[in-house]
Amino acid sequence: EAVATALDQTFAPAEVIVEDFAAKRKLNLPRRIVAYHDRASAAAEQYRKIRDGLMAGNPKRDPQALVFTSARGGEGKTTTVLNLGLSLVELRANRVLLVDGCLHESRRDGRGLSQMLKLPAARGLAELLASPAAGPGAERDSQPFIQATPWHHLYVLPAGAPTTSAAAIEMLSASGGTVLRGILRQLRASFSWILIDAPAITPLPDAGLLGVAADGMILTAAMHHTPAARLQAATRKLRSLNLPVKGVVLTRA
């Protein structure tokens, strides 16, 4: 599993890459994580094309926070986030954070980022949002909530303790969204890409609340499964909230 180094050395200083291959194997990731299981496949290449498109659309290399949502559950958001994250860290200059943005109990289906990566139960986004700032105007310290993965430069901010839908909405919208925006602003200082796995855009507002603080939204849709009308409705809803839709990823969920 050699790491690709196709970047100008101006942006990728020489360093020793340490990866835990044994820990990767123990994860027993689903076969649909093609960026791990079958890196030479056509499907893995499609994720690289998405990666390259996102990077080409960001010529100044500004840190980007992107929210992944869908018209309904089970459309492959988590699979897309993990495959894209693995594709991004193939390039040494990218430092990537995957965020589990599914905070409430009704969205914990056992297939989230934390479960897929077999992360131990730990504090995460829910606790970070609820934690007090160090002082007036100070930002919350996100570092204690971030977990490493066996991949070089790939990290995860888990969802944390599950909560009710009402509590999740309250945390995400706290102080008019300034708490969430402050957290993402701090995370952008440490990561070049922040990929947020959010719930479906309806019926709950979580994805929209996350999107307001992010740099763009990406919709996932299951091929031959997602009704066109639902996808169009989801797109209209995002645009009605003035949330920039960067694109749609078709999956085989």
Side-chain angles (χ1 to χ4, degrees), residues 18-241:
V18 179
E19 302 209 20
D20 191 339
F21 297 104
K24 291 179 186 179
R25 288 191 290 271
K26 287 180 182 177
L27 291 177
N28 194 27
L29 289 174
R31 297 298 303 181
R32 63 183 179 273
I33 307 303
V34 292
Y36 170 68
H37 283 294
D38 195 0
R39 294 177 62 193
S41 67
E45 187 58 30
Q46 290 302 311
Y47 283 107
R48 293 191 187 99
K49 286 183 178 179
I50 296 170
R51 172 200 70 191
D52 294 346
L54 289 171
M55 294 182 69
N58 182 30
K60 293 183 179 179
R61 302 199 180 204
D62 294 327
Q64 296 287 295
L66 303 175
V67 175
F68 291 74
T69 187
S70 60
R72 59 185 181 182
E75 302 286 84
K77 295 186 303 295
T78 303
T79 297
T80 299
V81 165
L82 185 49
N83 272 308
L84 183 55
L86 290 172
S87 299
L88 281 163
V89 295
E90 285 181 350
L91 303 181
R92 193 182 298 186
N94 288 325
R95 184 177 168 89
V96 179
L97 178 67
L98 310 180
V99 179
D100 189 341
C102 300
L103 300 180
H104 38 86
E105 295 165 319
S106 63
R107 291 296 181 266
R108 302 298 179 89
D109 56 7
R111 296 181 296 173
L113 280 171
S114 298
Q115 292 86 356
M116 196 176 290
L117 293 170
K118 293 183 171 57
L119 297 178
R123 298 180 304 162
L125 180 59
E127 288 80 7
L128 177 56
L129 286 165
S131 65
E139 295 183 343
R140 290 156 174 78
D141 183 9
S142 61
Q143 292 307 310
F145 302 91
I146 293 172
Q147 297 190 38
T149 75
W151 286 268
H152 184 73
H153 280 180
L154 183 68
Y155 297 83
V156 177
L157 174 59
T163 184
T164 64
S165 298
I169 293 167
E170 183 177 350
M171 286 189 288
L172 291 170
S173 59
S175 300
T178 58
V179 172
L180 178 60
R181 285 195 293 272
I183 289 170
L184 288 181
R185 183 168 55 248
Q186 181 194 123
L187 291 172
R188 286 187 186 94
S190 300
F191 297 96
S192 46
W193 294 91
I194 302 163
L195 310 182
I196 305 171
D197 185 14
I201 191 63
T202 55
L204 298 168
D206 303 46
L209 292 171
L210 287 161
V212 169
D215 300 295
M217 308 284 293
I218 293 179
L219 273 169
T220 59
M223 194 180 303
H224 308 307
H225 179 71
T226 307
R230 294 197 68 159
L231 186 58
Q232 290 165 356
T235 303
R236 284 196 300 271
K237 173 146 190 192
L238 290 172
R239 288 176 175 161
S240 73
L241 297 171

